[in-house]
Amino acid sequence: MADATGDAQTYLDGLLVVEGCSVEVKGLEARDGQIYAIEDDPQILLRPAAPVRALALELRFPEGYQGDGVSSYYATVVSDELSEQRVLRPPVLGKRLLTRVWEFDEAVTCVRVDLTETCGPTGISLARMAFAHTMDEGLDALVGDCSDTRGEGLVVVTHDLGLTGAPLLAARISEEADRQGSPVVALCIGQGDGGVALSYWESCIPLLELHTSWRISRDGSEGDACDMLLRHLAARGFGATVLNTVVSAQHAEVFKRAGLRVVSLIHETRETLTIHDMGDQPPRAARYSDSLVFPARSVLEGFRLLAPDIPGKVEIRPQGVYLQESCRDDGALAPLLDELGIPAGAPVILGSGTPELRKGYDLFISAAIELTRIAGDVAPYFIWAGCSANLLPGDELLPRLADQVRKSGIAGRFHRVEFLPSTVYAALLNASSVFWCTSRDDTFPSAVLEAMRGHVPVAAFAGSGGVDVMLEDGRGVLVEGFSVGELARETHRLLVGEACVDVQEARRWVAEELDFSDYVSWLRGLCAREEVVSRPLSDIEGQGSFAEASSAPSSPPDGGEDEGDFAGEPPTKRWGGLRRLARRWS
C-alpha cells in the first residue's frame, strides 16, 4: 500500500505516476518491469483534494508486447463511501499505448481504477493518471491546448460509432485532417462505443460522446453543458465543424450558435429519409449550414424536395475511397474457404454490407439462385460479407431468406459471413471473380470502389445511386430495372469470357478522380472559407466538378509540438490533452 500527496508522485517502483491527489494502491506490485497483481481484484484509489470533472489515464505496454492488453481492464467511479456509481469500460487496444480521458457527469471526490480482476501480470509497463478539477480544465484536458491553431481546428461529428460506412468515413476524415495539420476533436451524437472508437484512440484524436454529460439528443434539444463545450472549442481555435450525415447535420444550429462555421456532408437519399421518418431533419440542416456537400447530384435533388430553401453554398463531390488499401492476408484465405467448403480456385461472387433490404441482400440471393440455374454444375460460389449486429432484434428477414436459400438448393454454394478483418476481406476480394452491388439505394458505395481499385469486375443495378457514375464508360456492368435474371445472365457472360469489364480503366478512374487525401484537403479549404455564399437554387446547377482546387495545405505537419523526454523525473506541469499527452509520453 502507498499513500502520498503531491503534484506528480510515483509508485510501484516508478511504474505508476499520479498527479495531484492522494493515492492508495491495493494488491499490486512491480515485478519484472511491469505492474503485477498479487491478489484478485486489485485496486488503485485516487482521492483528489477537491472535486474533479475528468480523469486522464495512459497505459504503456512494453516494446514487442504480443498480448491483447489488459483483458479485463475497467475504471469505476465511486463515492466517498466507495459505493459504485458508474462503471466505464473502454475497449482495450493490443498496442503499446492506450490513452483515454473520461468526463464525469458530475464532480466526484474519489475514483477507483481496477487494472485487472485476477491475480497475475497485467502487461502494463507504465501507468499515468491525472485529474481536472474544474470544467474549463476538464475541457482543456479533453480537447488539448489548441489556442495557437489560428482557427484551423476541426470538430468532426458522427452520428454513431458502429462499423458501418458513415462512422468509418467520419473517422477517416478525422485521421486524414489530423495528418494534414488540422487539430481535430471528434464528437459522437449516438450511444455506445462501437468498433470505430478504436480508430480515434489509436490516432490520439479526442472523442467525446454528446449523449452523456454534454446532453445533446437526436431530437435537436441540447443543454448548457453542450453549448459550453462548443463555445470552449471555438475559443480554443476550432473554427469549423464537419457534420457527417443528416442525422448529425440536423444539429447545425447548435454549432452555428457557438460560433463555428458549419459544413454538412449529406449522404442519405430522399427514399432513406422518408422511409425512416427523417423528413424533418433536412430543413434544419439546410437552414444553418454554411455549406452542404453531396456525393452525387441525385442526392442533392432528393434533398431539395425535402428542403427547398438552401441559403448556404452547395457542393457536389464524392468522398472517394476512404478505406485504406489493406495488405492482403492470403494465408488466412485458405482456412476461410476450407471452412466454407469452397475449393481453391473456384469462382466466387462477392457481396458486402449489412444484410438488409436497402443493400439488396434478398436480391443477391435471388440472383444467386438464378445464376446457379443458368450455370449448372459449373456455377460459382456466393459469399455475402457483412455485419448483422445493427439489425433490429426479431427482424424476420434473415431467417426467411435463410429458408429460401435452403429450399432453393443453393445452400452448399451460398455463405453469409459476419464482419471480416480488413486483411482477410482484401484477400477474399482479390480472389473473387465478380463483385455484386445489389443495393436498392446506395449513395456512393465504397465497397464498389474497393472492388474497382482491386481490379475486380463489378455488376450493379442502374438507378440505385452512385454506381451509375462509377460504372459508366465500361468500368462495370449496369443492369436496368433491378432484374436479377439479367444480373445473373450478364455475370455468366463475364465468367465464361463472352463479356469483359475494363478493370484497368476502373482502377485508374478511382485513383485519379477519387483520391481521399485530395478530398479532405478540399474539405479543409471549404471549412476555412470565411464568407457564406448564398444563392438561389437555380444557380446551383452546373456545380459539381471534383477538381476544384483547395487552398488548404495537403502536407502533414512537421511536428514541433512538445517532445519532452520521460526518461528523467516525472513532469510537474499538468498535461494539455490527448494529443500532447500521446506525443509527449510515447
Side-chain angles (χ1 to χ4, degrees):
M1 179 185 296
D3 195 351
T5 305
D7 191 32
Q9 299 291 330
T10 61
Y11 308 87
L12 303 176
D13 293 344
L15 302 185
L16 173 63
V17 180
V18 183
E19 297 186 20
C21 68
S22 65
V23 180
E24 184 178 356
V25 180
K26 299 179 179 180
L28 296 170
E29 66 177 27
R31 184 183 299 183
D32 299 326
Q34 66 173 297
I35 297 176
Y36 194 96
I38 57 176
E39 60 185 50
D40 288 343
D41 196 23
Q43 301 176 355
I44 300 173
L45 297 177
L46 310 174
R47 295 189 177 90
V52 295
R53 297 303 300 260
L55 166 69
L57 179 62
E58 182 95 357
L59 302 180
R60 179 175 295 185
F61 300 94
E63 193 72 49
Y65 178 67
Q66 297 299 316
D68 293 329
V70 189
S71 60
S72 57
Y73 161 73
Y74 61 95
T76 305
V77 180
V78 297
S79 68
D80 290 333
E81 292 78 23
L82 305 186
S83 61
E84 294 187 3
Q85 293 179 335
R86 182 182 177 192
V87 178
L88 303 144
R89 299 179 185 271
V92 176
L93 308 180
K95 295 173 67 70
R96 189 171 62 88
L97 192 66
L98 180 148
T99 306
R100 186 72 163 104
V101 177
W102 292 281
E103 72 275 18
F104 303 144
D105 290 336
E106 58 185 15
V108 298
T109 57
C110 182
V111 171
R112 189 182 83 215
V113 178
D114 297 350
L115 296 179
T116 183
E117 293 181 322
T118 58
C119 182
T122 65
I124 300 172
S125 59
L126 179 67
R128 292 175 175 273
M129 303 175 193
F131 283 113
H133 296 269
T134 66
M135 178 62 82
D136 259 358
E137 189 177 353
L139 291 173
D140 273 334
L142 289 162
V143 304
D145 181 9
C146 298
S147 58
D148 60 344
T149 64
R150 302 180 301 280
E152 296 176 0
L154 292 182
V155 179
V156 178
V157 182
T158 178
H159 69 275
D160 67 31
L161 297 168
L163 285 169
T164 55
L168 286 167
L169 171 61
R172 286 288 290 118
I173 289 174
S174 300
E175 293 164 7
E176 181 61 25
D178 176 73
R179 189 194 70 81
Q180 293 184 12
S182 291
V184 176
V185 168
L187 307 180
C188 176
I189 292 174
Q191 299 187 17
D193 277 343
V196 178
L198 296 176
S199 297
Y200 294 101
W201 296 329
E202 287 178 331
S203 303
C204 299
I205 294 174
L207 172 65
L208 287 71
E209 297 177 32
L210 297 185
H211 69 275
T212 58
S213 53
W214 309 113
R215 295 187 295 279
I216 190 170
S217 63
R218 289 178 182 269
D219 64 4
S221 61
E222 73 285 339
D224 293 339
C226 178
D227 193 61
M228 180 188 302
L229 168 65
L230 298 179
R231 291 182 185 277
H232 184 93
L233 291 171
R236 295 304 188 271
F238 288 84
T241 182
V242 175
L243 304 179
N244 190 43
T245 75
V246 171
V247 180
S248 300
Q250 66 170 315
H251 301 287
E253 180 184 5
V254 181
F255 294 84
K256 194 66 180 173
R257 188 170 60 235
L260 281 75
R261 177 175 174 78
V262 176
V263 175
S264 295
L265 310 183
I266 308 300
H267 309 288
E268 297 90 339
T269 64
R270 182 177 70 90
E271 291 77 13
T272 294
L273 294 170
T274 303
I275 289 172
H276 293 282
D277 195 24
M278 298 160 59
D280 60 329
Q281 297 180 11
R284 293 202 295 267
R287 182 176 181 183
Y288 296 102
S289 296
D290 296 300
S291 296
L292 293 106
V293 180
F294 299 86
R297 182 166 299 279
S298 60
V299 182
L300 166 61
E301 292 170 350
F303 187 88
R304 279 177 172 173
L305 297 176
L306 299 173
D309 183 15
I310 305 179
K313 185 174 177 60
V314 169
E315 303 280 356
I316 299 175
R317 178 161 179 163
Q319 72 274 358
V321 189
Y322 58 83
L323 295 177
Q324 296 176 339
E325 194 163 9
S326 300
C327 297
R328 301 199 312 264
D329 186 358
D330 293 324
L333 180 60
L336 173 64
L337 296 180
D338 185 61
E339 178 185 347
L340 299 178
I342 300 177
V348 172
I349 308 298
L350 180 63
S352 71
T354 304
E356 61 184 359
L357 292 175
R358 184 178 73 85
K359 288 288 186 179
Y361 179 56
D362 59 320
L363 299 178
F364 185 93
I365 291 175
S366 295
I369 294 171
E370 182 64 16
L371 180 52
T372 301
R373 184 191 65 79
I374 294 173
D377 293 339
V378 294
Y381 290 81
F382 305 88
I383 299 177
W384 182 281
C387 182
S388 61
N390 292 329
L391 298 178
L392 295 176
D395 191 323
E396 66 177 31
L397 177 65
L398 293 186
R400 291 288 188 188
L401 292 177
D403 186 56
Q404 180 183 353
V405 167
R406 180 181 60 82
K407 291 178 178 178
S408 68
I410 68 166
R413 293 185 175 273
F414 181 88
H415 304 279
R416 183 177 69 83
V417 297
E418 287 291 325
F419 202 88
L420 295 172
S422 59
T423 53
V424 179
Y425 179 81
L428 177 59
L429 180 63
N430 180 68
S432 298
S433 304
V434 178
F435 182 91
W436 275 356
C437 177
T438 52
S439 296
R440 290 178 167 87
D441 178 20
D442 217 335
T443 305
F444 216 79
S446 291
V448 170
L449 297 178
E450 288 183 278
M452 296 171 68
R453 183 175 60 185
H455 295 102
V456 179
V458 177
F461 291 126
S464 62
V467 292
D468 290 358
V469 174
M470 298 156 79
L471 302 183
E472 67 182 359
D473 297 330
R475 292 188 291 267
V477 176
L478 286 169
V479 175
E480 300 290 340
F482 291 89
S483 170
V484 294
E486 186 64 18
L487 176 61
R489 287 187 290 274
E490 288 297 323
T491 302
H492 183 63
R493 294 181 66 227
L494 290 173
L495 294 176
V496 300
E498 295 178 1
C500 65
V501 168
D502 191 345
V503 294
Q504 296 294 341
E505 169 59 19
R507 180 179 174 87
R508 184 210 63 77
W509 183 80
V510 170
E512 294 184 7
E513 299 290 340
L514 299 174
D515 182 78
F516 186 73
S517 62
D518 287 347
Y519 172 77
V520 174
S521 179
W522 171 84
L523 195 60
R524 290 175 63 220
L526 190 63
C527 289
R529 296 177 188 171
E530 296 181 357
E531 296 182 0
V532 176
V533 179
S534 298
R535 60 180 68 184
L537 289 176
S538 58
D539 289 348
I540 294 172
E541 298 295 339
Q543 295 188 54
S545 170
F546 301 171
E548 179 176 343
S550 169
S551 59
S554 59
S555 57
D558 58 2
E561 191 166 356
D562 189 6
E563 298 291 343
D565 186 3
F566 183 62
E569 293 297 316
T572 57
K573 183 178 179 181
R574 189 174 300 279
W575 49 268
L578 284 176
R579 184 184 308 279
R580 174 174 296 176
L581 188 67
R583 291 178 181 172
R584 178 180 176 185
W585 290 355
S586 59

